[in-house]
Amino acid sequence: MDESEQLAHVNWSPSAARLFEECPRRFFYRYQQSASTGDDSEYTPPPGAYLGTVVHESLAAQIVRWRQGENIHLQTAVDYASDKLEGYAEANAETIAARIDDDEGEFNSESFIRSLIRTAREHIRRFFRVIWPHFDGHRYIIHETRQNLDIAEEPVAVQPDLCTRSTEGDFVVTDWKTGEYDRFSNPTLQMQAYALYAHEAYEPELNRIRVQLAHTGSGEFERMVPTRDGIRQVRERIMDDRAFWTSQGNVESYETDPVAQKCSQCSYLLRCRDGQAVVGGGPEPY
């Protein structure tokens, strides 16, 4: 394979673009096509990331029930999350213990599992009691399904958590957020990408598109009505990113951005000289 083709297969998506922005080298390791890529199947996701995945899965299962005209069940969602988190914590106790500094002394697996389950229960309860009532009267369109489209002949992929039509006829794209709500963060890229998808696939009138992030930790919403300027910006970002990915296949073209806290949880740390240097135990960065 020609070097310049190593990343040509990567569809543009908000998550891929965000990874590329945060650390180009990690992006390269994540998506490169090479016989030397190695096997990352043993990677254990951090507890917070896995908790978010499980909460999403439990909510998605309830959305299926809603789509089929059935009642959604809080306890069923909580039970699913509890079972998954117990299995994760038991299977990865040693790895988790090595990652967590316990000021009380020895890592307490049972206490940790209870804490995970309690946090998941709080997120799911807040979804049912605070967030879900906002969808009263909405009509189901699609959820948790990868959607592929071409933008300026570049492949794009998005996967909204839920798309609906409101009682007013607006096309509503919603993404559940389980991480801590940071009012100073800038989720514009993801929201604009969802707006572009809605505009291309469902709704030609921009003023009838609503994009929102629903924070299951706080019950708060971040909402956006797309603009033509925003749509233009995300189109340009797609073309710029893809132009780089399809023309640059050498690892050195993808610079590192070594920060100890970030690098310590990177699944590609053992392959990254600069990351090892800031975390400790590795050579000095180039």
Side-chain angles (χ1 to χ4, degrees):
M1 176 186 299
D2 185 275
E3 274 192 347
S4 63
E5 297 177 359
Q6 281 206 86
L7 298 168
H9 68 287
V10 182
N11 287 7
W12 190 94
S13 68
S15 58
R18 186 166 54 248
L19 181 58
F20 179 60
E21 184 175 56
E22 292 175 352
C23 181
R25 183 66 56 83
R26 185 178 180 186
F27 171 88
F28 179 87
Y29 287 143
R30 167 66 178 83
Y31 290 108
Q32 74 172 144
Q33 285 187 336
S34 170
S36 62
T37 299
D39 182 5
D40 297 311
S41 60
E42 296 302 318
Y43 170 64
T44 301
Y50 189 76
L51 184 145
T53 297
V54 168
V55 170
H56 272 77
E57 289 176 354
S58 65
L59 299 183
Q62 296 307 304
I63 298 299
V64 171
R65 295 180 60 87
W66 176 63
R67 180 190 67 193
Q68 296 171 343
E70 302 174 6
N71 291 328
I72 62 174
H73 294 156
L74 168 61
Q75 192 57 51
T76 302
V78 169
D79 289 345
Y80 174 89
S82 298
D83 290 344
K84 295 283 285 187
L85 290 169
E86 284 181 1
Y88 162 80
E90 291 171 0
N92 301 286
E94 292 185 6
T95 303
I96 295 169
R99 287 178 173 170
I100 296 177
D101 293 325
D102 189 350
D103 295 333
E104 302 298 323
E106 186 177 353
F107 173 71
N108 188 318
S109 177
E110 292 185 4
S111 175
F112 179 75
I113 293 173
R114 288 196 298 271
S115 176
L116 273 184
I117 292 174
R118 182 170 58 251
T119 301
R121 185 186 299 120
E122 290 170 356
H123 280 268
I124 294 170
R125 282 178 173 171
R126 195 165 287 109
F127 170 84
F128 274 79
R129 296 172 179 174
V130 180
I131 293 174
W132 190 243
H134 288 265
F135 293 88
D136 185 41
H138 280 226
R139 178 167 58 88
Y140 173 90
I141 303 296
I142 199 168
H143 84 292
E144 285 286 2
T145 304
R146 180 185 172 96
Q147 302 294 302
N148 297 306
L149 60 157
D150 288 335
I151 300 297
E153 300 186 3
E154 299 294 351
V156 173
V158 296
Q159 188 168 319
D161 289 329
L162 179 64
C163 295
T164 57
R165 282 282 183 185
S166 71
T167 53
E168 294 80 16
D170 293 332
F171 189 87
V172 183
V173 186
T174 307
D175 203 62
W176 322 126
K177 292 296 181 185
T178 57
E180 185 176 352
Y181 181 20
D182 180 0
R183 290 175 175 79
F184 299 102
S185 67
N186 183 13
T188 303
L189 179 63
Q190 181 182 25
M191 298 177 82
Q192 286 180 341
Y194 284 159
L196 177 60
Y197 155 71
H199 183 54
E200 292 285 330
Y202 287 98
E203 181 52 71
E205 297 181 34
L206 284 179
N207 61 358
R208 298 195 64 181
I209 296 172
R210 301 289 184 270
V211 181
Q212 58 187 14
L213 307 182
H215 294 270
T216 57
S218 64
E220 296 175 88
F221 284 82
E222 291 179 82
R223 294 186 170 98
M224 182 191 81
V225 177
T227 64
R228 295 200 177 278
D229 188 53
I231 294 294
R232 176 187 58 78
Q233 290 176 10
V234 75
R235 283 178 176 273
E236 291 177 353
R237 174 67 179 271
I238 290 168
M239 290 186 287
D240 289 345
D241 285 349
R242 282 280 303 165
F244 188 93
W245 302 348
T246 56
S247 63
Q248 303 296 324
N250 187 297
V251 64
E252 299 302 329
S253 299
Y254 293 80
E255 298 179 353
T256 60
D257 181 23
V259 178
Q261 183 176 6
K262 177 177 66 175
C263 294
S264 66
Q265 300 194 32
C266 178
S267 54
Y268 305 102
L269 178 60
L270 295 179
R271 302 175 62 190
C272 181
R273 181 187 180 104
D274 292 359
Q276 292 176 45
V278 297
V279 171
E284 290 300 314
Y286 291 112

Coordinates of all heavy atoms in Angstrom, one line a residue, residues 67-142:
R67 N -40.1 3.1 20.0 CA -40.3 3.0 18.6 C -41.4 2.0 18.3 O -42.2 2.2 17.4 CB -39.1 2.7 17.9 CG -39.2 2.5 16.4 CD -37.9 1.9 15.8 NE -37.8 0.5 16.2 CZ -36.7 -0.2 16.0 NH1 -35.6 0.4 15.5 NH2 -36.6 -1.4 16.4
Q68 N -41.5 0.9 19.0 CA -42.4 -0.1 18.8 C -43.8 0.1 19.5 O -44.7 -0.7 19.5 CB -41.8 -1.5 19.3 CG -40.6 -1.9 18.5 CD -39.9 -3.1 19.2 OE1 -40.1 -3.4 20.4 NE2 -39.0 -3.7 18.4
G69 N -43.9 1.3 20.1 CA -45.2 1.6 20.8 C -45.3 1.1 22.1 O -46.4 1.0 22.7
E70 N -44.2 0.6 22.7 CA -44.3 0.0 24.1 C -43.8 1.0 25.1 O -43.2 2.0 24.8 CB -43.4 -1.2 24.2 CG -43.7 -2.3 23.2 CD -42.7 -3.4 23.1 OE1 -41.8 -3.4 24.0 OE2 -42.8 -4.3 22.3
N71 N -44.2 0.8 26.4 CA -43.7 1.7 27.4 C -42.2 1.5 27.7 O -41.7 0.4 27.6 CB -44.5 1.4 28.7 CG -46.0 1.8 28.6 OD1 -46.3 2.8 27.9 ND2 -46.8 1.1 29.3
I72 N -41.5 2.5 28.1 CA -40.1 2.4 28.4 C -40.1 2.2 29.9 O -40.9 2.7 30.7 CB -39.3 3.6 28.0 CG1 -39.8 4.9 28.7 CG2 -39.3 3.8 26.5 CD1 -38.9 6.1 28.4
H73 N -39.0 1.4 30.4 CA -39.0 1.0 31.8 C -37.7 1.5 32.4 O -36.6 1.1 32.0 CB -39.0 -0.5 31.9 CG -40.4 -1.1 31.4 ND1 -40.5 -2.4 31.0 CD2 -41.6 -0.5 31.4 CE1 -41.8 -2.6 30.7 NE2 -42.4 -1.5 31.0
L74 N -37.8 2.3 33.4 CA -36.6 2.8 34.2 C -35.9 1.6 34.8 O -34.6 1.5 34.7 CB -37.1 3.7 35.3 CG -36.0 4.1 36.3 CD1 -34.8 4.8 35.7 CD2 -36.7 5.0 37.4
Q75 N -36.5 0.7 35.5 CA -35.9 -0.4 36.2 C -35.2 -1.3 35.2 O -34.1 -1.8 35.5 CB -36.8 -1.2 37.0 CG -36.2 -2.1 38.0 CD -35.2 -1.4 38.9 OE1 -35.5 -0.4 39.6 NE2 -33.9 -1.9 39.0
T76 N -35.7 -1.6 34.1 CA -35.1 -2.4 33.1 C -33.8 -1.8 32.6 O -32.8 -2.5 32.5 CB -36.0 -2.7 31.9 OG1 -37.2 -3.3 32.3 CG2 -35.4 -3.6 30.8
A77 N -33.8 -0.5 32.4 CA -32.6 0.2 31.9 C -31.5 0.1 33.0 O -30.3 -0.1 32.8 CB -32.9 1.6 31.6
V78 N -31.9 0.3 34.3 CA -31.0 0.3 35.4 C -30.4 -1.1 35.6 O -29.2 -1.3 35.8 CB -31.7 0.8 36.7 CG1 -30.8 0.5 37.9 CG2 -32.0 2.2 36.6
D79 N -31.2 -2.1 35.5 CA -30.8 -3.5 35.6 C -29.8 -3.9 34.5 O -28.8 -4.5 34.8 CB -32.0 -4.5 35.5 CG -32.8 -4.4 36.8 OD1 -32.4 -3.8 37.8 OD2 -34.0 -4.9 36.7
Y80 N -30.0 -3.4 33.3 CA -29.1 -3.7 32.2 C -27.7 -3.1 32.5 O -26.7 -3.7 32.4 CB -29.6 -3.2 30.9 CG -28.6 -3.3 29.8 CD1 -28.6 -4.4 29.0 CD2 -27.7 -2.2 29.5 CE1 -27.7 -4.5 27.9 CE2 -26.8 -2.3 28.5 CZ -26.8 -3.4 27.7 OH -25.9 -3.5 26.6
A81 N -27.7 -1.8 32.9 CA -26.5 -1.1 33.2 C -25.8 -1.8 34.4 O -24.5 -1.9 34.3 CB -26.8 0.4 33.5
S82 N -26.5 -2.2 35.4 CA -25.9 -2.8 36.6 C -25.1 -4.1 36.2 O -24.0 -4.3 36.6 CB -26.9 -3.1 37.6 OG -27.5 -1.9 38.1
D83 N -25.8 -4.9 35.4 CA -25.2 -6.2 35.0 C -23.9 -6.0 34.2 O -22.9 -6.6 34.4 CB -26.2 -7.0 34.2 CG -27.4 -7.5 35.0 OD1 -27.2 -7.5 36.3 OD2 -28.4 -7.9 34.5
K84 N -24.0 -5.0 33.3 CA -22.8 -4.8 32.4 C -21.7 -4.2 33.2 O -20.5 -4.6 33.0 CB -23.2 -3.8 31.3 CG -24.2 -4.3 30.3 CD -23.6 -5.3 29.3 CE -22.8 -4.6 28.3 NZ -22.3 -5.5 27.2
L85 N -21.9 -3.3 34.1 CA -20.9 -2.7 34.9 C -20.3 -3.7 35.9 O -19.0 -3.7 36.1 CB -21.4 -1.5 35.7 CG -21.8 -0.3 34.8 CD1 -22.5 0.8 35.6 CD2 -20.5 0.3 34.2
E86 N -21.1 -4.6 36.5 CA -20.5 -5.6 37.4 C -19.6 -6.5 36.6 O -18.5 -6.8 37.1 CB -21.7 -6.4 38.0 CG -22.4 -5.7 39.1 CD -23.5 -6.6 39.7 OE1 -23.7 -7.7 39.2 OE2 -24.2 -6.1 40.6
G87 N -20.0 -6.9 35.4 CA -19.1 -7.8 34.6 C -17.8 -7.1 34.2 O -16.8 -7.7 34.2
Y88 N -17.9 -5.8 33.9 CA -16.7 -5.1 33.5 C -15.8 -5.0 34.7 O -14.6 -5.2 34.5 CB -17.2 -3.7 33.0 CG -16.1 -2.6 33.0 CD1 -15.1 -2.6 32.0 CD2 -16.0 -1.7 34.0 CE1 -14.1 -1.6 31.9 CE2 -15.0 -0.7 34.0 CZ -14.1 -0.7 33.0 OH -13.1 0.3 33.0
A89 N -16.3 -4.6 35.8 CA -15.4 -4.4 37.0 C -14.8 -5.7 37.5 O -13.6 -5.7 37.8 CB -16.2 -3.8 38.1
E90 N -15.5 -6.8 37.4 CA -15.0 -8.1 37.8 C -13.9 -8.6 36.9 O -12.9 -9.1 37.3 CB -16.1 -9.1 38.0 CG -17.0 -8.8 39.1 CD -18.3 -9.7 39.1 OE1 -18.4 -10.5 38.2 OE2 -19.1 -9.5 40.1
A91 N -14.1 -8.4 35.6 CA -13.2 -8.9 34.6 C -11.9 -8.1 34.5 O -10.9 -8.6 34.0 CB -13.9 -8.9 33.2
N92 N -12.0 -6.8 34.9 CA -10.9 -5.9 34.8 C -10.4 -5.3 36.1 O -9.8 -4.2 36.1 CB -11.2 -4.8 33.8 CG -11.7 -5.3 32.4 OD1 -10.8 -5.7 31.6 ND2 -12.9 -5.2 32.2
A93 N -10.6 -6.0 37.2 CA -10.3 -5.5 38.5 C -8.8 -5.1 38.6 O -8.5 -4.0 39.2 CB -10.6 -6.5 39.6
E94 N -7.9 -5.9 38.1 CA -6.5 -5.5 38.3 C -6.1 -4.3 37.5 O -5.4 -3.4 38.0 CB -5.6 -6.7 37.8 CG -5.7 -7.9 38.8 CD -4.7 -9.0 38.4 OE1 -3.9 -8.8 37.4 OE2 -4.8 -10.1 39.0
T95 N -6.6 -4.2 36.2 CA -6.3 -3.0 35.4 C -6.9 -1.8 36.0 O -6.3 -0.7 36.0 CB -6.9 -3.3 34.0 OG1 -6.3 -4.5 33.4 CG2 -6.6 -2.1 33.1
I96 N -8.1 -1.9 36.5 CA -8.8 -0.7 37.1 C -8.1 -0.2 38.3 O -7.8 1.0 38.5 CB -10.3 -1.0 37.4 CG1 -11.0 -1.3 36.1 CG2 -10.9 0.2 38.1 CD1 -12.4 -1.9 36.3
A97 N -7.7 -1.2 39.2 CA -7.0 -0.9 40.4 C -5.7 -0.2 40.1 O -5.3 0.8 40.9 CB -6.7 -2.1 41.2
A98 N -5.0 -0.5 39.0 CA -3.7 0.1 38.7 C -3.9 1.5 38.3 O -3.0 2.3 38.3 CB -3.0 -0.7 37.6
R99 N -5.1 1.8 37.8 CA -5.3 3.2 37.2 C -5.8 4.2 38.3 O -5.8 5.4 38.1 CB -6.4 3.1 36.1 CG -5.9 2.5 34.8 CD -7.0 2.5 33.8 NE -6.6 2.1 32.5 CZ -7.4 1.8 31.5 NH1 -8.7 1.8 31.7 NH2 -6.9 1.4 30.3
I100 N -6.4 3.6 39.4 CA -7.0 4.5 40.3 C -6.2 4.6 41.6 O -5.7 3.7 42.2 CB -8.4 3.9 40.7 CG1 -9.3 3.9 39.5 CG2 -9.1 4.7 41.8 CD1 -10.7 3.3 39.7
D101 N -6.0 5.9 42.0 CA -5.3 6.1 43.3 C -6.3 6.1 44.4 O -7.2 6.9 44.4 CB -4.6 7.5 43.2 CG -3.5 7.5 42.2 OD1 -2.8 6.5 42.1 OD2 -3.3 8.6 41.6
D102 N -6.2 5.2 45.3 CA -7.1 5.1 46.4 C -6.5 5.6 47.7 O -5.6 5.0 48.3 CB -7.6 3.6 46.6 CG -8.7 3.4 47.6 OD1 -9.0 4.4 48.3 OD2 -9.2 2.3 47.7
D103 N -6.9 6.8 48.2 CA -6.3 7.4 49.3 C -6.5 6.5 50.6 O -5.9 6.7 51.6 CB -6.9 8.8 49.6 CG -6.5 9.7 48.4 OD1 -5.4 9.5 47.8 OD2 -7.2 10.7 48.2
E104 N -7.5 5.6 50.6 CA -7.8 4.8 51.7 C -6.9 3.6 51.8 O -6.9 2.9 52.8 CB -9.3 4.3 51.7 CG -10.3 5.5 51.6 CD -10.3 6.3 52.8 OE1 -10.1 5.8 53.9 OE2 -10.4 7.6 52.7
G105 N -6.1 3.4 50.8 CA -5.3 2.2 50.8 C -5.6 1.3 49.7 O -5.7 1.7 48.5
E106 N -5.7 0.0 50.0 CA -5.9 -1.0 48.9 C -7.3 -0.8 48.2 O -8.3 -0.4 48.7 CB -6.0 -2.4 49.6 CG -6.0 -3.5 48.5 CD -6.0 -4.9 49.2 OE1 -5.7 -4.9 50.4 OE2 -6.2 -5.9 48.5
F107 N -7.2 -1.0 46.9 CA -8.4 -0.8 46.0 C -9.5 -1.7 46.5 O -9.3 -2.9 46.6 CB -8.0 -1.1 44.5 CG -9.2 -1.1 43.6 CD1 -9.8 0.1 43.3 CD2 -9.6 -2.3 43.0 CE1 -10.9 0.1 42.4 CE2 -10.7 -2.3 42.2 CZ -11.3 -1.1 41.8
N108 N -10.7 -1.2 46.7 CA -11.9 -2.0 47.1 C -12.8 -2.2 45.9 O -13.5 -1.3 45.5 CB -12.6 -1.2 48.2 CG -13.7 -2.0 48.8 OD1 -14.4 -2.7 48.2 ND2 -13.8 -2.0 50.2
S109 N -12.7 -3.4 45.4 CA -13.5 -3.7 44.2 C -15.0 -3.6 44.4 O -15.7 -3.0 43.6 CB -13.1 -5.1 43.7 OG -13.9 -5.5 42.6
E110 N -15.5 -4.1 45.5 CA -16.9 -4.1 45.8 C -17.4 -2.6 45.9 O -18.5 -2.3 45.3 CB -17.3 -4.9 47.0 CG -17.1 -6.4 46.8 CD -17.5 -7.1 48.1 OE1 -18.1 -6.5 49.0 OE2 -17.4 -8.3 48.1
S111 N -16.7 -1.8 46.6 CA -17.1 -0.4 46.8 C -17.0 0.3 45.4 O -17.9 1.1 45.1 CB -16.1 0.3 47.7 OG -16.4 1.7 47.8
F112 N -16.1 0.0 44.6 CA -15.9 0.6 43.3 C -17.1 0.3 42.4 O -17.7 1.1 41.7 CB -14.6 0.2 42.6 CG -14.4 0.8 41.3 CD1 -14.1 2.2 41.1 CD2 -14.6 0.1 40.1 CE1 -13.9 2.7 39.9 CE2 -14.4 0.6 38.9 CZ -14.1 1.9 38.7
I113 N -17.5 -1.0 42.4 CA -18.6 -1.5 41.6 C -19.9 -0.8 42.0 O -20.7 -0.3 41.2 CB -18.8 -3.0 41.7 CG1 -17.6 -3.7 41.0 CG2 -20.1 -3.4 41.1 CD1 -17.6 -5.2 41.2
R114 N -20.1 -0.7 43.3 CA -21.3 0.0 43.8 C -21.3 1.5 43.4 O -22.4 2.0 43.0 CB -21.4 -0.1 45.4 CG -21.7 -1.4 45.9 CD -22.1 -1.4 47.4 NE -21.1 -0.8 48.2 CZ -20.1 -1.6 48.8 NH1 -20.1 -2.9 48.7 NH2 -19.2 -1.0 49.6
S115 N -20.2 2.1 43.4 CA -20.1 3.5 43.0 C -20.4 3.7 41.5 O -21.2 4.6 41.1 CB -18.7 4.1 43.2 OG -18.6 5.4 42.8
L116 N -19.9 2.8 40.7 CA -20.2 2.8 39.2 C -21.7 2.6 39.0 O -22.3 3.4 38.2 CB -19.5 1.7 38.5 CG -18.1 1.9 38.0 CD1 -17.6 0.7 37.2 CD2 -18.0 3.2 37.1
I117 N -22.3 1.6 39.6 CA -23.7 1.4 39.4 C -24.6 2.5 39.9 O -25.6 2.9 39.3 CB -24.1 0.0 40.2 CG1 -23.4 -1.1 39.4 CG2 -25.6 -0.1 40.2 CD1 -23.6 -2.5 40.2
R118 N -24.2 3.1 41.1 CA -24.9 4.3 41.6 C -24.9 5.4 40.6 O -25.9 6.1 40.4 CB -24.4 4.7 43.0 CG -25.1 5.8 43.6 CD -24.6 6.0 45.1 NE -23.2 6.3 45.1 CZ -22.3 5.5 45.6 NH1 -22.7 4.3 46.1 NH2 -21.0 5.8 45.7
T119 N -23.7 5.7 40.0 CA -23.6 6.8 39.1 C -24.5 6.5 37.8 O -25.2 7.4 37.3 CB -22.1 7.0 38.7 OG1 -21.4 7.2 39.8 CG2 -22.0 8.1 37.7
A120 N -24.4 5.3 37.3 CA -25.2 4.9 36.2 C -26.7 5.1 36.5 O -27.5 5.6 35.6 CB -24.9 3.5 35.7
R121 N -27.1 4.6 37.7 CA -28.5 4.8 38.0 C -29.0 6.2 38.1 O -30.1 6.6 37.6 CB -28.7 4.1 39.4 CG -30.2 4.1 39.8 CD -30.3 3.6 41.3 NE -29.8 2.2 41.4 CZ -28.8 1.9 42.2 NH1 -28.2 2.8 42.9 NH2 -28.4 0.6 42.2
E122 N -28.1 7.1 38.6 CA -28.4 8.5 38.6 C -28.6 9.1 37.2 O -29.5 9.9 37.0 CB -27.4 9.3 39.4 CG -27.3 9.0 40.9 CD -26.1 9.5 41.6 OE1 -25.2 10.1 40.8 OE2 -26.0 9.4 42.8
H123 N -27.7 8.7 36.3 CA -27.8 9.2 34.9 C -29.1 8.7 34.3 O -29.8 9.5 33.6 CB -26.6 8.7 34.1 CG -25.4 9.5 34.3 ND1 -25.1 10.6 33.5 CD2 -24.4 9.4 35.2 CE1 -23.9 11.1 33.9 NE2 -23.5 10.4 34.9
I124 N -29.4 7.5 34.5 CA -30.6 6.9 33.8 C -31.9 7.5 34.4 O -32.9 7.8 33.7 CB -30.6 5.4 33.9 CG1 -29.4 4.8 33.1 CG2 -31.9 4.7 33.5 CD1 -29.1 3.3 33.4
R125 N -31.9 7.6 35.7 CA -33.1 8.2 36.4 C -33.3 9.7 35.9 O -34.5 10.1 35.6 CB -32.9 8.2 37.9 CG -33.2 6.9 38.5 CD -32.9 6.9 40.0 NE -33.3 5.7 40.7 CZ -33.1 5.4 42.0 NH1 -32.4 6.3 42.7 NH2 -33.5 4.3 42.5
R126 N -32.2 10.4 35.8 CA -32.4 11.8 35.3 C -32.9 11.8 33.8 O -33.7 12.7 33.5 CB -31.1 12.5 35.4 CG -31.2 14.0 35.3 CD -29.9 14.7 35.8 NE -29.8 14.6 37.3 CZ -28.9 13.9 37.9 NH1 -28.1 13.2 37.3 NH2 -28.9 13.9 39.3
F127 N -32.4 10.9 33.0 CA -33.0 10.8 31.7 C -34.5 10.6 31.7 O -35.2 11.3 31.0 CB -32.3 9.6 30.9 CG -32.9 9.3 29.6 CD1 -32.6 10.0 28.5 CD2 -33.9 8.3 29.5 CE1 -33.2 9.7 27.2 CE2 -34.5 8.0 28.3 CZ -34.1 8.7 27.1
F128 N -34.9 9.6 32.5 CA -36.4 9.3 32.5 C -37.2 10.5 33.1 O -38.3 10.8 32.5 CB -36.6 8.1 33.3 CG -36.5 6.8 32.5 CD1 -35.2 6.2 32.2 CD2 -37.6 6.1 32.0 CE1 -35.1 5.1 31.5 CE2 -37.5 4.9 31.3 CZ -36.2 4.4 31.0
R129 N -36.7 11.1 34.1 CA -37.5 12.0 34.8 C -37.4 13.5 34.4 O -38.3 14.3 34.5 CB -37.2 12.0 36.3 CG -37.5 10.6 36.9 CD -37.0 10.5 38.4 NE -37.4 9.2 38.9 CZ -37.0 8.7 40.1 NH1 -36.2 9.4 40.9 NH2 -37.3 7.5 40.5
V130 N -36.2 13.8 33.8 CA -36.0 15.2 33.4 C -35.9 15.4 31.9 O -36.5 16.3 31.3 CB -34.7 15.8 34.0 CG1 -34.5 17.2 33.6 CG2 -34.8 15.6 35.6
I131 N -35.2 14.5 31.2 CA -34.9 14.7 29.8 C -36.1 14.1 28.9 O -36.6 14.8 28.0 CB -33.6 14.0 29.4 CG1 -32.4 14.7 30.1 CG2 -33.4 13.9 27.9 CD1 -31.1 14.1 29.9
W132 N -36.5 12.9 29.2 CA -37.5 12.3 28.3 C -38.8 13.0 28.2 O -39.4 13.0 27.1 CB -37.7 10.8 28.8 CG -38.5 10.0 27.8 CD1 -39.7 9.4 27.9 CD2 -38.2 9.7 26.4 NE1 -40.2 8.8 26.8 CE2 -39.2 9.0 25.8 CE3 -37.0 10.0 25.6 CZ2 -39.2 8.5 24.5 CZ3 -37.0 9.6 24.3 CH2 -38.1 8.9 23.8
P133 N -39.3 13.7 29.2 CA -40.6 14.4 29.0 C -40.5 15.5 27.9 O -41.5 15.9 27.4 CB -40.8 15.1 30.4 CG -40.1 14.1 31.4 CD -38.9 13.6 30.6
H134 N -39.3 15.9 27.6 CA -39.2 16.9 26.5 C -39.6 16.3 25.1 O -39.7 17.1 24.2 CB -37.8 17.5 26.4 CG -37.4 18.4 27.6 ND1 -37.5 19.7 27.5 CD2 -37.0 18.1 28.8 CE1 -37.1 20.3 28.6 NE2 -36.8 19.3 29.5
F135 N -39.6 15.0 25.1 CA -40.0 14.3 23.8 C -41.4 13.9 23.7 O -41.8 13.2 22.8 CB -39.0 13.1 23.6 CG -37.6 13.5 23.4 CD1 -36.8 13.6 24.5 CD2 -37.1 13.7 22.2 CE1 -35.4 14.0 24.4 CE2 -35.7 14.1 22.0 CZ -34.9 14.2 23.1
D136 N -42.2 14.4 24.6 CA -43.6 14.1 24.5 C -44.2 14.6 23.2 O -44.1 15.8 22.9 CB -44.4 14.8 25.7 CG -45.8 14.4 25.8 OD1 -46.1 13.2 25.6 OD2 -46.6 15.3 26.1
G137 N -44.9 13.7 22.5 CA -45.5 14.1 21.2 C -44.6 14.0 20.0 O -45.0 14.2 18.9
H138 N -43.3 13.7 20.2 CA -42.4 13.6 19.1 C -42.6 12.3 18.4 O -43.1 11.3 18.9 CB -40.9 13.6 19.6 CG -40.4 15.0 19.9 ND1 -39.1 15.4 19.5 CD2 -40.9 16.0 20.6 CE1 -39.0 16.6 20.0 NE2 -40.0 17.0 20.6
R139 N -42.3 12.4 17.1 CA -42.4 11.2 16.2 C -41.0 10.6 15.9 O -40.1 11.3 15.6 CB -43.1 11.5 14.9 CG -43.2 10.4 13.9 CD -44.2 10.7 12.8 NE -43.8 11.9 12.1 CZ -43.0 11.9 11.0 NH1 -42.4 10.8 10.6 NH2 -42.7 13.1 10.4
Y140 N -40.9 9.3 16.1 CA -39.6 8.7 15.9 C -39.2 8.7 14.5 O -40.0 8.4 13.6 CB -39.7 7.2 16.4 CG -38.4 6.4 16.1 CD1 -37.4 6.3 17.0 CD2 -38.3 5.7 14.9 CE1 -36.3 5.5 16.8 CE2 -37.2 4.9 14.6 CZ -36.2 4.8 15.6 OH -35.1 4.1 15.3
I141 N -37.9 9.0 14.2 CA -37.3 8.9 12.9 C -36.2 7.8 12.8 O -36.3 6.9 12.1 CB -36.7 10.3 12.5 CG1 -37.8 11.4 12.5 CG2 -36.1 10.2 11.1 CD1 -38.9 11.2 11.6
I142 N -35.2 8.0 13.7 CA -34.1 7.0 13.7 C -33.3 7.2 14.9 O -33.3 8.2 15.6 CB -33.2 7.2 12.4 CG1 -32.4 5.9 12.1 CG2 -32.3 8.4 12.5 CD1 -31.7 5.9 10.7

